[in-house]
Amino acid sequence: MEWLQTITALTATEIVTLTILTFLAGMVRGFSGFALSAMVMATAVLILPPIELIPMLWWLEMSASLLMVRSGFKDADRPMTYALVIGNIIGWPIGLNLTMALPVDTSKALALGIIVVLAASQLAKVKLNFLASKPGLYGTGVVAGIVSGISHTGAMVIAFYVLAADKSAAVMRASLVLFLFLGSLSSMIILLFFGVMDFSGASRGLVFALPTMLGVLAGQRLFTDKLAPYYRPFCLILLISLASIGLLRTLLV
């Protein structure tokens, strides 16, 4: 435990807490295809600031993607996903600049607020029909990149586009998996360029990748035809609850 505390710069309690959180977030990712970063950001932001969570989350997302990418390539809407990735690459540097320029408490509140608004809007089945166009497609990718740079929850924005396009649960899940895999590959370059990917971020990411992957494997077993219609509302309600609690704590401290 002392060795883990040294390389992660975390206390024993924080390591145990993050292990549990990343396992549960991995389960949701394996079941729904997204929400890993949003869940960790909504809860772990009380332990680490967003700018320190972002490099750790890169490793968690990549470890989850490696387990799920095969089904992503098989079932995803590839042309749509590739366009979203291009827009995401453009938006990432903008989001990172905002995160690095804002005070820690402000970035915490902003990250959690984004999660609450996006999740609540999706739960209310808000459809933005203008997104079902080429400008809407690439624009969604750019906005997702900005949100990812701020709170690493760009997949929530991507879900808006998928919702507007009336994709099935299977296609939505696969498209998000493929998007997160390809987006992670490109975002590593951006994180290195901005100096955000440091030793502590990589160390934490590798340490918590194991519980994340175990959670993903458990969550994948839950994605059945019978439960598929319920996966989105379950995840959104959970995200709203976690992010709201985290936001209140951040604002009241």
Side-chain angles (χ1 to χ4, degrees), residues 91-120:
W92 250 99
I94 301 172
L96 280 176
N97 272 319
L98 289 174
T99 300
M100 298 174 73
L102 293 171
V104 173
D105 288 342
T106 302
S107 59
K108 280 184 182 180
L110 183 59
L112 291 170
I114 288 171
I115 295 170
V116 173
V117 172
L118 292 179

PDB file of all heavy atoms in Angstrom, residues 91-120:
ATOM      1  N   GLY A  91     -11.959  20.536 -30.810  1.00  0.00           N
ATOM      2  CA  GLY A  91     -12.469  21.119 -29.572  1.00  0.00           C
ATOM      3  C   GLY A  91     -11.622  20.878 -28.345  1.00  0.00           C
ATOM      4  O   GLY A  91     -11.638  21.675 -27.402  1.00  0.00           O
ATOM      5  N   TRP A  92     -10.861  19.788 -28.317  1.00  0.00           N
ATOM      6  CA  TRP A  92     -10.075  19.424 -27.133  1.00  0.00           C
ATOM      7  C   TRP A  92      -9.163  20.546 -26.629  1.00  0.00           C
ATOM      8  O   TRP A  92      -9.183  20.878 -25.428  1.00  0.00           O
ATOM      9  CB  TRP A  92      -9.238  18.176 -27.418  1.00  0.00           C
ATOM     10  CG  TRP A  92      -9.681  16.947 -26.699  1.00  0.00           C
ATOM     11  CD1 TRP A  92     -10.452  15.938 -27.204  1.00  0.00           C
ATOM     12  CD2 TRP A  92      -9.394  16.571 -25.358  1.00  0.00           C
ATOM     13  NE1 TRP A  92     -10.659  14.966 -26.261  1.00  0.00           N
ATOM     14  CE2 TRP A  92     -10.022  15.319 -25.119  1.00  0.00           C
ATOM     15  CE3 TRP A  92      -8.673  17.165 -24.325  1.00  0.00           C
ATOM     16  CZ2 TRP A  92      -9.937  14.659 -23.896  1.00  0.00           C
ATOM     17  CZ3 TRP A  92      -8.595  16.509 -23.100  1.00  0.00           C
ATOM     18  CH2 TRP A  92      -9.221  15.278 -22.903  1.00  0.00           C
ATOM     19  N   PRO A  93      -8.330  21.149 -27.485  1.00  0.00           N
ATOM     20  CA  PRO A  93      -7.417  22.199 -26.993  1.00  0.00           C
ATOM     21  C   PRO A  93      -8.160  23.394 -26.381  1.00  0.00           C
ATOM     22  O   PRO A  93      -7.678  24.001 -25.421  1.00  0.00           O
ATOM     23  CB  PRO A  93      -6.658  22.632 -28.261  1.00  0.00           C
ATOM     24  CG  PRO A  93      -6.776  21.465 -29.178  1.00  0.00           C
ATOM     25  CD  PRO A  93      -8.126  20.877 -28.918  1.00  0.00           C
ATOM     26  N   ILE A  94      -9.329  23.700 -26.914  1.00  0.00           N
ATOM     27  CA  ILE A  94     -10.118  24.811 -26.371  1.00  0.00           C
ATOM     28  C   ILE A  94     -10.553  24.495 -24.945  1.00  0.00           C
ATOM     29  O   ILE A  94     -10.423  25.322 -24.034  1.00  0.00           O
ATOM     30  CB  ILE A  94     -11.354  25.083 -27.257  1.00  0.00           C
ATOM     31  CG1 ILE A  94     -10.921  25.423 -28.689  1.00  0.00           C
ATOM     32  CG2 ILE A  94     -12.190  26.221 -26.669  1.00  0.00           C
ATOM     33  CD1 ILE A  94     -12.073  25.518 -29.673  1.00  0.00           C
ATOM     34  N   GLY A  95     -11.055  23.287 -24.744  1.00  0.00           N
ATOM     35  CA  GLY A  95     -11.494  22.870 -23.419  1.00  0.00           C
ATOM     36  C   GLY A  95     -10.362  22.827 -22.412  1.00  0.00           C
ATOM     37  O   GLY A  95     -10.518  23.247 -21.253  1.00  0.00           O
ATOM     38  N   LEU A  96      -9.194  22.329 -22.840  1.00  0.00           N
ATOM     39  CA  LEU A  96      -8.054  22.267 -21.933  1.00  0.00           C
ATOM     40  C   LEU A  96      -7.586  23.660 -21.526  1.00  0.00           C
ATOM     41  O   LEU A  96      -7.206  23.893 -20.376  1.00  0.00           O
ATOM     42  CB  LEU A  96      -6.901  21.507 -22.591  1.00  0.00           C
ATOM     43  CG  LEU A  96      -6.989  19.979 -22.561  1.00  0.00           C
ATOM     44  CD1 LEU A  96      -5.826  19.367 -23.334  1.00  0.00           C
ATOM     45  CD2 LEU A  96      -6.989  19.475 -21.124  1.00  0.00           C
ATOM     46  N   ASN A  97      -7.609  24.575 -22.469  1.00  0.00           N
ATOM     47  CA  ASN A  97      -7.230  25.958 -22.145  1.00  0.00           C
ATOM     48  C   ASN A  97      -8.157  26.549 -21.094  1.00  0.00           C
ATOM     49  O   ASN A  97      -7.714  27.249 -20.177  1.00  0.00           O
ATOM     50  CB  ASN A  97      -7.250  26.831 -23.416  1.00  0.00           C
ATOM     51  CG  ASN A  97      -5.921  26.799 -24.150  1.00  0.00           C
ATOM     52  OD1 ASN A  97      -4.865  26.843 -23.536  1.00  0.00           O
ATOM     53  ND2 ASN A  97      -5.972  26.699 -25.470  1.00  0.00           N
ATOM     54  N   LEU A  98      -9.447  26.263 -21.206  1.00  0.00           N
ATOM     55  CA  LEU A  98     -10.416  26.760 -20.229  1.00  0.00           C
ATOM     56  C   LEU A  98     -10.163  26.147 -18.860  1.00  0.00           C
ATOM     57  O   LEU A  98     -10.198  26.844 -17.835  1.00  0.00           O
ATOM     58  CB  LEU A  98     -11.842  26.434 -20.689  1.00  0.00           C
ATOM     59  CG  LEU A  98     -12.375  27.216 -21.886  1.00  0.00           C
ATOM     60  CD1 LEU A  98     -13.731  26.675 -22.314  1.00  0.00           C
ATOM     61  CD2 LEU A  98     -12.490  28.696 -21.545  1.00  0.00           C
ATOM     62  N   THR A  99      -9.888  24.844 -18.829  1.00  0.00           N
ATOM     63  CA  THR A  99      -9.641  24.163 -17.559  1.00  0.00           C
ATOM     64  C   THR A  99      -8.401  24.698 -16.865  1.00  0.00           C
ATOM     65  O   THR A  99      -8.385  24.914 -15.651  1.00  0.00           O
ATOM     66  CB  THR A  99      -9.476  22.643 -17.784  1.00  0.00           C
ATOM     67  OG1 THR A  99     -10.670  22.132 -18.365  1.00  0.00           O
ATOM     68  CG2 THR A  99      -9.226  21.921 -16.473  1.00  0.00           C
ATOM     69  N   MET A 100      -7.351  24.927 -17.629  1.00  0.00           N
ATOM     70  CA  MET A 100      -6.091  25.399 -17.056  1.00  0.00           C
ATOM     71  C   MET A 100      -6.167  26.858 -16.644  1.00  0.00           C
ATOM     72  O   MET A 100      -5.412  27.316 -15.778  1.00  0.00           O
ATOM     73  CB  MET A 100      -4.954  25.177 -18.055  1.00  0.00           C
ATOM     74  CG  MET A 100      -4.728  23.712 -18.412  1.00  0.00           C
ATOM     75  SD  MET A 100      -3.507  23.440 -19.713  1.00  0.00           S
ATOM     76  CE  MET A 100      -1.994  23.803 -18.827  1.00  0.00           C
ATOM     77  N   ALA A 101      -7.084  27.609 -17.247  1.00  0.00           N
ATOM     78  CA  ALA A 101      -7.186  29.031 -16.943  1.00  0.00           C
ATOM     79  C   ALA A 101      -8.106  29.327 -15.765  1.00  0.00           C
ATOM     80  O   ALA A 101      -7.987  30.371 -15.124  1.00  0.00           O
ATOM     81  CB  ALA A 101      -7.683  29.787 -18.184  1.00  0.00           C
ATOM     82  N   LEU A 102      -9.021  28.398 -15.466  1.00  0.00           N
ATOM     83  CA  LEU A 102     -10.000  28.637 -14.405  1.00  0.00           C
ATOM     84  C   LEU A 102      -9.480  28.163 -13.053  1.00  0.00           C
ATOM     85  O   LEU A 102      -8.682  27.226 -12.979  1.00  0.00           O
ATOM     86  CB  LEU A 102     -11.297  27.888 -14.722  1.00  0.00           C
ATOM     87  CG  LEU A 102     -12.086  28.378 -15.938  1.00  0.00           C
ATOM     88  CD1 LEU A 102     -13.224  27.408 -16.242  1.00  0.00           C
ATOM     89  CD2 LEU A 102     -12.643  29.776 -15.695  1.00  0.00           C
ATOM     90  N   PRO A 103      -9.927  28.779 -11.945  1.00  0.00           N
ATOM     91  CA  PRO A 103      -9.580  28.301 -10.600  1.00  0.00           C
ATOM     92  C   PRO A 103     -10.108  26.883 -10.390  1.00  0.00           C
ATOM     93  O   PRO A 103     -11.067  26.459 -11.035  1.00  0.00           O
ATOM     94  CB  PRO A 103     -10.307  29.298  -9.678  1.00  0.00           C
ATOM     95  CG  PRO A 103     -10.515  30.506 -10.515  1.00  0.00           C
ATOM     96  CD  PRO A 103     -10.719  30.010 -11.917  1.00  0.00           C
ATOM     97  N   VAL A 104      -9.473  26.132  -9.472  1.00  0.00           N
ATOM     98  CA  VAL A 104      -9.837  24.736  -9.242  1.00  0.00           C
ATOM     99  C   VAL A 104     -11.315  24.582  -8.891  1.00  0.00           C
ATOM    100  O   VAL A 104     -12.021  23.746  -9.454  1.00  0.00           O
ATOM    101  CB  VAL A 104      -8.965  24.127  -8.121  1.00  0.00           C
ATOM    102  CG1 VAL A 104      -9.459  22.734  -7.765  1.00  0.00           C
ATOM    103  CG2 VAL A 104      -7.515  24.068  -8.555  1.00  0.00           C
ATOM    104  N   ASP A 105     -11.814  25.388  -7.934  1.00  0.00           N
ATOM    105  CA  ASP A 105     -13.212  25.272  -7.522  1.00  0.00           C
ATOM    106  C   ASP A 105     -14.167  25.576  -8.664  1.00  0.00           C
ATOM    107  O   ASP A 105     -15.213  24.950  -8.809  1.00  0.00           O
ATOM    108  CB  ASP A 105     -13.495  26.208  -6.341  1.00  0.00           C
ATOM    109  CG  ASP A 105     -12.856  25.718  -5.049  1.00  0.00           C
ATOM    110  OD1 ASP A 105     -12.502  24.522  -4.991  1.00  0.00           O
ATOM    111  OD2 ASP A 105     -12.698  26.514  -4.119  1.00  0.00           O
ATOM    112  N   THR A 106     -13.794  26.551  -9.479  1.00  0.00           N
ATOM    113  CA  THR A 106     -14.642  26.918 -10.614  1.00  0.00           C
ATOM    114  C   THR A 106     -14.704  25.781 -11.632  1.00  0.00           C
ATOM    115  O   THR A 106     -15.775  25.453 -12.146  1.00  0.00           O
ATOM    116  CB  THR A 106     -14.113  28.185 -11.301  1.00  0.00           C
ATOM    117  OG1 THR A 106     -14.067  29.249 -10.351  1.00  0.00           O
ATOM    118  CG2 THR A 106     -15.009  28.591 -12.466  1.00  0.00           C
ATOM    119  N   SER A 107     -13.549  25.168 -11.931  1.00  0.00           N
ATOM    120  CA  SER A 107     -13.533  24.075 -12.898  1.00  0.00           C
ATOM    121  C   SER A 107     -14.274  22.854 -12.369  1.00  0.00           C
ATOM    122  O   SER A 107     -14.919  22.129 -13.127  1.00  0.00           O
ATOM    123  CB  SER A 107     -12.085  23.711 -13.268  1.00  0.00           C
ATOM    124  OG  SER A 107     -11.356  23.325 -12.133  1.00  0.00           O
ATOM    125  N   LYS A 108     -14.203  22.623 -11.039  1.00  0.00           N
ATOM    126  CA  LYS A 108     -14.972  21.531 -10.440  1.00  0.00           C
ATOM    127  C   LYS A 108     -16.466  21.750 -10.660  1.00  0.00           C
ATOM    128  O   LYS A 108     -17.182  20.871 -11.121  1.00  0.00           O
ATOM    129  CB  LYS A 108     -14.708  21.463  -8.932  1.00  0.00           C
ATOM    130  CG  LYS A 108     -13.435  20.772  -8.518  1.00  0.00           C
ATOM    131  CD  LYS A 108     -13.398  20.707  -6.991  1.00  0.00           C
ATOM    132  CE  LYS A 108     -12.117  20.063  -6.499  1.00  0.00           C
ATOM    133  NZ  LYS A 108     -12.085  19.991  -5.028  1.00  0.00           N
ATOM    134  N   ALA A 109     -16.931  22.950 -10.309  1.00  0.00           N
ATOM    135  CA  ALA A 109     -18.353  23.259 -10.430  1.00  0.00           C
ATOM    136  C   ALA A 109     -18.798  23.219 -11.886  1.00  0.00           C
ATOM    137  O   ALA A 109     -19.882  22.724 -12.202  1.00  0.00           O
ATOM    138  CB  ALA A 109     -18.635  24.636  -9.834  1.00  0.00           C
ATOM    139  N   LEU A 110     -17.954  23.718 -12.781  1.00  0.00           N
ATOM    140  CA  LEU A 110     -18.287  23.729 -14.203  1.00  0.00           C
ATOM    141  C   LEU A 110     -18.395  22.305 -14.742  1.00  0.00           C
ATOM    142  O   LEU A 110     -19.345  21.967 -15.462  1.00  0.00           O
ATOM    143  CB  LEU A 110     -17.224  24.504 -14.982  1.00  0.00           C
ATOM    144  CG  LEU A 110     -17.458  24.672 -16.490  1.00  0.00           C
ATOM    145  CD1 LEU A 110     -18.769  25.386 -16.755  1.00  0.00           C
ATOM    146  CD2 LEU A 110     -16.302  25.428 -17.121  1.00  0.00           C
ATOM    147  N   ALA A 111     -17.439  21.451 -14.375  1.00  0.00           N
ATOM    148  CA  ALA A 111     -17.452  20.066 -14.844  1.00  0.00           C
ATOM    149  C   ALA A 111     -18.692  19.329 -14.359  1.00  0.00           C
ATOM    150  O   ALA A 111     -19.374  18.646 -15.128  1.00  0.00           O
ATOM    151  CB  ALA A 111     -16.184  19.344 -14.370  1.00  0.00           C
ATOM    152  N   LEU A 112     -19.012  19.477 -13.087  1.00  0.00           N
ATOM    153  CA  LEU A 112     -20.184  18.804 -12.527  1.00  0.00           C
ATOM    154  C   LEU A 112     -21.484  19.390 -13.088  1.00  0.00           C
ATOM    155  O   LEU A 112     -22.445  18.665 -13.336  1.00  0.00           O
ATOM    156  CB  LEU A 112     -20.167  18.917 -11.003  1.00  0.00           C
ATOM    157  CG  LEU A 112     -19.057  18.125 -10.303  1.00  0.00           C
ATOM    158  CD1 LEU A 112     -18.976  18.507  -8.832  1.00  0.00           C
ATOM    159  CD2 LEU A 112     -19.275  16.633 -10.444  1.00  0.00           C
ATOM    160  N   GLY A 113     -21.509  20.695 -13.278  1.00  0.00           N
ATOM    161  CA  GLY A 113     -22.696  21.339 -13.841  1.00  0.00           C
ATOM    162  C   GLY A 113     -22.984  20.861 -15.250  1.00  0.00           C
ATOM    163  O   GLY A 113     -24.145  20.646 -15.626  1.00  0.00           O
ATOM    164  N   ILE A 114     -21.938  20.673 -16.034  1.00  0.00           N
ATOM    165  CA  ILE A 114     -22.091  20.169 -17.397  1.00  0.00           C
ATOM    166  C   ILE A 114     -22.742  18.788 -17.385  1.00  0.00           C
ATOM    167  O   ILE A 114     -23.649  18.485 -18.158  1.00  0.00           O
ATOM    168  CB  ILE A 114     -20.722  20.113 -18.110  1.00  0.00           C
ATOM    169  CG1 ILE A 114     -20.254  21.532 -18.442  1.00  0.00           C
ATOM    170  CG2 ILE A 114     -20.803  19.269 -19.388  1.00  0.00           C
ATOM    171  CD1 ILE A 114     -18.824  21.595 -18.939  1.00  0.00           C
ATOM    172  N   ILE A 115     -22.281  17.932 -16.476  1.00  0.00           N
ATOM    173  CA  ILE A 115     -22.827  16.581 -16.379  1.00  0.00           C
ATOM    174  C   ILE A 115     -24.315  16.618 -16.043  1.00  0.00           C
ATOM    175  O   ILE A 115     -25.125  15.909 -16.635  1.00  0.00           O
ATOM    176  CB  ILE A 115     -22.059  15.762 -15.329  1.00  0.00           C
ATOM    177  CG1 ILE A 115     -20.614  15.567 -15.772  1.00  0.00           C
ATOM    178  CG2 ILE A 115     -22.729  14.407 -15.102  1.00  0.00           C
ATOM    179  CD1 ILE A 115     -19.717  14.974 -14.696  1.00  0.00           C
ATOM    180  N   VAL A 116     -24.681  17.446 -15.062  1.00  0.00           N
ATOM    181  CA  VAL A 116     -26.081  17.544 -14.637  1.00  0.00           C
ATOM    182  C   VAL A 116     -26.969  17.998 -15.793  1.00  0.00           C
ATOM    183  O   VAL A 116     -28.015  17.403 -16.076  1.00  0.00           O
ATOM    184  CB  VAL A 116     -26.237  18.507 -13.445  1.00  0.00           C
ATOM    185  CG1 VAL A 116     -27.717  18.735 -13.138  1.00  0.00           C
ATOM    186  CG2 VAL A 116     -25.539  17.948 -12.214  1.00  0.00           C
ATOM    187  N   VAL A 117     -26.571  19.065 -16.475  1.00  0.00           N
ATOM    188  CA  VAL A 117     -27.385  19.627 -17.559  1.00  0.00           C
ATOM    189  C   VAL A 117     -27.546  18.641 -18.707  1.00  0.00           C
ATOM    190  O   VAL A 117     -28.658  18.415 -19.202  1.00  0.00           O
ATOM    191  CB  VAL A 117     -26.759  20.945 -18.079  1.00  0.00           C
ATOM    192  CG1 VAL A 117     -27.482  21.421 -19.333  1.00  0.00           C
ATOM    193  CG2 VAL A 117     -26.825  22.018 -17.002  1.00  0.00           C
ATOM    194  N   LEU A 118     -26.441  18.024 -19.138  1.00  0.00           N
ATOM    195  CA  LEU A 118     -26.511  17.094 -20.261  1.00  0.00           C
ATOM    196  C   LEU A 118     -27.329  15.855 -19.922  1.00  0.00           C
ATOM    197  O   LEU A 118     -28.150  15.400 -20.713  1.00  0.00           O
ATOM    198  CB  LEU A 118     -25.097  16.689 -20.685  1.00  0.00           C
ATOM    199  CG  LEU A 118     -24.234  17.788 -21.307  1.00  0.00           C
ATOM    200  CD1 LEU A 118     -22.860  17.236 -21.649  1.00  0.00           C
ATOM    201  CD2 LEU A 118     -24.889  18.367 -22.545  1.00  0.00           C
ATOM    202  N   ALA A 119     -27.102  15.311 -18.737  1.00  0.00           N
ATOM    203  CA  ALA A 119     -27.838  14.110 -18.340  1.00  0.00           C
ATOM    204  C   ALA A 119     -29.327  14.394 -18.191  1.00  0.00           C
ATOM    205  O   ALA A 119     -30.168  13.608 -18.627  1.00  0.00           O
ATOM    206  CB  ALA A 119     -27.261  13.557 -17.035  1.00  0.00           C
ATOM    207  N   ALA A 120     -29.670  15.522 -17.569  1.00  0.00           N
ATOM    208  CA  ALA A 120     -31.077  15.870 -17.380  1.00  0.00           C
ATOM    209  C   ALA A 120     -31.765  16.093 -18.721  1.00  0.00           C
ATOM    210  O   ALA A 120     -32.923  15.683 -18.923  1.00  0.00           O
ATOM    211  CB  ALA A 120     -31.195  17.119 -16.510  1.00  0.00           C
TER     212      ALA A 120
END
